[in-house]
Amino acid sequence: MTTTAAVPNDLLRAVRIGLRMSQDDFAKALRRAGEELGEPNDASKRLVQRWESGTSKTPRGVYARALERVTGRPIEALGFSLPVPTPRVRTDGKGGHDMEPSASGVGSAAGRGRLDAQATEATFSGVWLSRYEFFSSGRDDSFEGKHYVVVVQHGNRLTAQSLPGASSNLDSPLALDLTVDRNVVTGTWVEQTAADGYYNGARYHGAVQLLVDPTGRRMTGKWVGFGKDFDVNTGPWELRLVDGSTSKATLARYSVPPE
């Protein structure tokens, strides 16, 4: 009889660490959120451990809504196995491609199957400065987005979550789910733009591929994603290590907008 090992939900763990909460603190916050929503729940440290270990892959509705309230992220961006529609792309008749307006979401990171069990030699956990550039057709100019993100490594998988208040674009939480193959890092990104910002709280997602430099302290590459007019865009992305610690004191120090 073959037993399939559970895939840890490192994205949820990274979000919790980014909020500077212990598993017990996180459970208490979920219970408070349930009371505020009028949907009491029995969240416990043990339940949080089961989610993060991958033993429990899909939270019930009352927990899903509490998780969204506590983290400020949609449940599909928290690493759970959820039925999320796959984006559809059509040609735009001009040599490019557009996103179908009805398509939304990307497949859950936890639902992609078992990861390669072989760990990479490098250790990437710590606080990194994330910086990407994008062109705004509505403003006819280029801009950059910067975040301090906490990276958590499990084998060849990296999950990154922006720290509270650590965005240059008002309050725009960013999450990345990445896989390392020697010096190549490939994965997906999700950003929830600020509700009172230019993009009015829109949620964007896409793919990213980066090359790790020989020092292991810098990754550079490209992102790809769709714009608000459903056109597919791309631009440069860089991650630079600023602190190899994930202690509470370190996370508190970088919970500020990057300069």
Side-chain angles (χ1 to χ4, degrees):
M1 180 177 178
T2 302
T3 302
T4 302
V7 178
N9 187 343
D10 290 326
L11 182 53
L12 179 65
R13 179 168 177 256
V15 170
R16 175 180 61 76
I17 292 173
L19 292 171
R20 305 199 297 275
M21 290 185 181
S22 66
Q23 291 177 330
D24 191 47
D25 292 337
F26 195 58
K28 291 176 181 177
L30 291 173
R31 293 198 297 272
R32 286 196 300 270
E35 294 291 341
E36 293 167 359
L37 292 168
E39 298 179 321
N41 63 67
D42 297 316
S44 63
K45 177 180 178 180
R46 176 57 181 157
L47 178 60
V48 175
Q49 290 173 336
R50 287 175 59 82
W51 286 336
E52 293 187 357
S53 68
T55 305
S56 179
K57 298 181 180 298
T58 306
R60 290 191 291 114
V62 293
Y63 293 115
R65 289 183 285 275
L67 281 161
E68 290 183 333
R69 188 177 184 92
V70 171
T71 64
R73 281 74 170 165
I75 192 66
E76 63 267 25
L78 293 175
F80 291 106
S81 295
L82 300 170
V84 181
T86 302
R88 296 188 298 277
V89 177
R90 58 178 172 77
T91 60
D92 62 5
K94 302 176 183 177
H97 296 80
D98 285 341
M99 218 46 156
E100 291 283 0
S102 60
S104 63
V106 293
S108 170
R112 284 194 210 112
R114 189 175 180 180
L115 293 171
D116 184 356
Q118 182 178 5
T120 56
E121 294 182 4
T123 299
F124 298 102
S125 295
V127 177
W128 294 66
L129 175 63
S130 166
R131 189 184 71 84
Y132 63 83
E133 296 178 14
F134 66 100
F135 180 77
S136 171
S137 57
R139 291 173 285 181
D140 193 30
D141 201 358
S142 293
F143 297 87
E144 69 174 9
K146 294 194 293 185
H147 299 77
Y148 284 123
V149 300
V150 57
V151 174
V152 175
Q153 181 170 0
H154 181 84
N156 68 339
R157 184 181 178 188
L158 308 177
T159 54
Q161 177 66 46
S162 60
L163 292 167
S167 167
S168 63
N169 299 325
L170 302 176
D171 182 20
S172 299
L174 171 71
L176 300 100
D177 184 14
L178 309 168
T179 300
V180 182
D181 183 2
R182 294 180 291 276
N183 68 324
V184 179
V185 177
T186 305
T188 58
W189 58 270
V190 178
E191 183 169 1
Q192 183 75 41
T193 63
D196 54 350
Y198 179 78
Y199 293 103
N200 300 317
R203 178 174 174 267
Y204 292 99
H205 54 79
V208 61
Q209 189 163 59
L210 308 164
L211 294 177
V212 183
D213 77 4
T215 69
R217 299 175 62 87
R218 184 168 176 260
M219 307 179 195
T220 56
K222 297 280 189 177
W223 61 268
V224 63
F226 66 90
K228 66 177 183 179
D229 296 323
F230 297 101
D231 52 336
V232 177
N233 302 314
T234 188
W237 200 317
E238 175 191 53
L239 287 170
R240 181 169 54 84
L241 181 67
V242 294
D243 199 309
S245 172
T246 57
S247 68
K248 286 187 176 181
T250 300
L251 300 184
R253 186 162 65 251
Y254 288 102
S255 292
V256 295
E259 297 181 357

